[in-house]
Amino acid sequence: MALIKKPVTGMKDILPAEMQLRDYVIGVIKDTYGKFGFTSIETPAVESLANLNSKQGGENEKLIFKIMKRGEKLNLETAKEENDLTDSGLRYDLTVPLVRFYANHQNELPAPFKALQMGYVWRADRPQKGRYRQFMQCDIDILGEPSNLAEIELILATTTTLGKLGFKGFQIRINERRILKAMAAYSGFPEESYDSVFITLDKMDKIGIDGVREELEKDGFDKAGIDKYLDLFKGVQDKGAVEGLKFIAETLGEFLDEEVKNSLEEIITSVDATKSADFEIVFDPTLVRGMSYYTGTIFEIAMPQYGGSCGGGGRYDKMVGKFTGQDTPACGFSIGFERIIMIMMDEGFKIPGEDNKVAYLIEKGVQGEKLSNIIAKAQEERAAGKQVLVARMNKNKKFQKEQLVAQGYKDFNEFYKNPLN
């Protein structure tokens, strides 16, 4: 007899209790985003390596699960390089497939196009607690909208969804890539060093301002420039979002286009004035977001009470043009679906309607017309909105009930020789 193997390392089986929660969360997400005008699309799990290696995925391109060529395309005898063996791979995110999708179907889609994608992605990453090689992503994107209306809609849709899932007191951290560059230019960093500076800046929440200073000094940057740079961040501390943004804009002067500051301020004030969820929007000039394709606004969901972030996004106006040759305004927001599920399970979240679950336990001897009457009764209760499980009674009834209770069943109707009497 063959041995039954465990799942592949970094993958996991999903048990019924978690699957029920996942289905509930997916339902809330789709319903809420649908009310904001986002429409669902689906892209294949497999993409061509040419698309996946388009230099749009950053470090993720090093984590691709590659697929060998098939049939006549695969010739092991003449293969000399990896490209001779592989031509496709599993998608590592949903953004690259979306851009390829839009490039192929642009003439069939409305303008602007508001897309909702939910699906699994795969990364050959090192597995750890709460981090697997296969995981669900949930993205909304607006393509073809050049104004900051896209950012406002994305933030409101995402925060409304989180509010409906019971999250409170979280933050939306927001920044602008052009502000990052203006701050670096104002401080005297050479343009070719910006990426290096931003990588160090991105560690601010882990190593603090003194740690950032130390790393920049080790990289050989001028101390006066470093002081000038870090003073900008000190000046924002303890200021509200709008006040912090104004301080940065006034300090940078001609290094920052006023339109950039005005647009970001409008996003902040519009979201604050119209939000329905309990959260704070925070201007955070240390926010970098690692993906190189971001061109403007960037944002991130921070949940300090749970020790980390659970989603983010931004504007990527140049990415579509890499595929089509014509730039298209684009902006997206991704919820950290797996992180949210883990938090909700750890917090013991109860799915609404679980009190409507009832189990009909039928003794083995009940059959024929008596059995039909029980099933008919169960059908009536299902039509009335209850979730009814019909099952034969086990010999160990106590253990069977314990299992059902663990699944959320609280009411039990037990049918013996004379049911429904």
Side-chain angles (χ1 to χ4, degrees):
M1 180 177 175
L3 293 175
I4 297 175
K5 303 291 187 181
K6 292 184 177 180
V8 174
T9 302
M11 314 288 184
K12 74 166 185 173
D13 295 323
I14 301 175
L15 296 175
E18 180 179 344
M19 199 66 226
Q20 192 168 16
L21 176 60
R22 293 169 80 92
D23 286 342
Y24 168 75
V25 172
I26 288 171
V28 172
I29 288 171
K30 288 189 172 182
D31 179 69
T32 309
Y33 284 159
K35 287 180 170 61
F36 278 81
F38 290 92
T39 54
S40 293
I41 66 166
E42 188 167 316
T43 57
V46 177
E47 287 281 341
S48 74
L49 282 180
N51 288 343
L52 295 175
N53 283 319
S54 60
K55 294 185 170 56
Q56 302 302 307
E59 292 296 307
N60 293 329
E61 294 187 8
K62 300 176 182 178
L63 305 174
I64 300 171
F65 280 102
K66 296 178 181 179
I67 300 172
M68 290 187 69
K69 294 179 179 180
R70 284 81 51 208
E72 295 179 358
K73 291 183 179 181
L74 179 61
N75 191 330
L76 295 175
E77 294 179 0
T78 61
K80 295 181 179 179
E81 299 177 355
E82 185 181 89
N83 290 342
D84 297 325
L85 298 173
T86 61
D87 61 358
S88 57
L90 298 177
R91 63 190 181 195
Y92 51 73
D93 73 0
L94 296 178
T95 304
V96 171
L98 170 66
V99 172
R100 193 266 311 148
F101 171 94
Y102 186 77
N104 289 342
H105 302 285
Q106 185 174 356
N107 293 335
E108 307 161 53
L109 299 171
F113 177 51
K114 302 178 77 171
L116 163 60
Q117 284 189 96
M118 296 195 72
Y120 282 104
V121 301
W122 294 264
R123 295 177 190 172
D125 207 349
R126 185 175 65 181
Q128 50 189 290
K129 184 182 185 304
R131 191 184 187 105
Y132 294 91
R133 289 175 170 175
Q134 173 182 297
F135 56 95
M136 176 79 74
Q137 278 197 339
C138 173
D139 290 10
I140 48 173
D141 295 82
I142 302 177
L143 295 94
E145 175 54 70
S147 79
N148 60 15
L149 177 61
E151 284 90 335
I152 294 168
E153 282 281 278
L154 289 167
I155 293 171
L156 287 175
T158 301
T159 54
T160 300
T161 300
L162 290 173
K164 287 187 176 181
L165 292 173
F167 288 94
K168 299 178 180 179
F170 58 94
Q171 297 176 335
I172 298 295
R173 299 165 61 205
I174 191 168
N175 197 12
E176 235 277 6
R177 293 286 290 192
R178 289 172 290 182
I179 290 178
L180 282 170
K181 292 179 180 179
M183 292 171 68
Y186 165 83
S187 305
F189 295 113
E191 189 171 350
E192 62 271 16
S193 300
Y194 286 178
D195 285 345
S196 173
V197 172
F198 297 158
I199 288 171
T200 301
L201 177 64
D202 201 28
K203 303 174 186 177
M204 179 80 81
D205 59 339
K206 295 179 181 178
I207 63 177
I209 200 164
D210 290 334
V212 170
R213 178 192 304 278
E214 184 178 342
E215 286 207 12
L216 290 175
E217 288 179 357
K218 284 182 180 178
D219 289 337
F221 293 111
D222 177 66
K223 289 187 178 182
I226 295 172
D227 288 340
K228 195 174 183 181
Y229 190 51
L230 297 182
D231 282 345
L232 290 168
F233 302 107
K234 292 177 181 177
V236 174
Q237 291 176 353
D238 301 323
K239 287 184 170 63
V242 173
E243 290 73 21
L245 176 59
K246 287 180 177 178
F247 167 81
I248 290 291
E250 289 171 2
T251 305
L252 295 180
E254 61 182 14
F255 285 93
L256 180 67
D257 189 331
E258 187 176 1
E259 182 274 329
V260 175
K261 172 259 181 187
N262 290 342
S263 178
L264 194 58
E265 182 177 345
E266 187 172 42
I267 294 170
I268 293 169
T269 55
S270 296
V271 168
D272 252 341
T274 57
K275 65 184 182 181
S276 60
D278 176 8
F279 71 95
E280 179 187 12
I281 188 162
V282 177
F283 170 58
D284 183 358
T286 70
L287 181 64
V288 174
R289 301 289 299 168
M291 305 305 284
S292 60
Y293 55 66
Y294 289 127
T295 58
T297 318
I298 47 177
F299 28 75
E300 191 168 274
I301 306 166
M303 293 190 171
Q305 64 272 47
Y306 301 114
S309 63
C310 66
R315 182 167 284 277
Y316 53 100
D317 287 347
K318 301 292 183 182
M319 191 172 177
V320 176
K322 303 281 187 181
F323 288 83
T324 65
Q326 182 177 353
D327 287 341
T328 299
C331 197
F333 208 145
S334 178
I335 283 183
F337 182 87
E338 302 291 352
R339 172 77 171 144
I340 285 172
I341 293 294
M342 187 171 69
I343 291 172
M344 294 175 78
M345 291 186 71
D346 288 346
E347 294 292 306
F349 179 83
K350 299 296 182 184
I351 298 172
E354 278 197 325
D355 291 340
N356 283 332
K357 296 173 73 171
V358 57
Y360 279 19
L361 301 180
I362 307 171
E363 193 179 53
K364 187 176 181 180
V366 176
Q367 54 191 8
E369 183 179 354
K370 293 178 178 180
L371 178 62
S372 295
N373 290 339
I374 296 170
I375 295 174
K377 179 66 176 176
Q379 288 287 73
E380 288 179 17
E381 296 208 1
R382 287 165 179 156
K386 285 191 176 182
Q387 181 177 332
V388 183
L389 170 75
V390 178
R392 288 288 184 184
M393 197 177 297
N394 294 342
K395 288 183 179 179
N396 189 343
K397 186 174 67 173
K398 181 175 181 294
F399 180 67
Q400 184 181 19
K401 282 188 174 183
E402 289 173 353
Q403 287 183 311
L404 290 171
V405 168
Q407 295 174 39
Y409 290 93
K410 296 180 180 178
D411 295 326
F412 299 92
N413 290 335
E414 301 176 27
F415 300 99
Y416 297 90
K417 298 287 185 180
N418 298 305
L420 299 179
N421 286 346

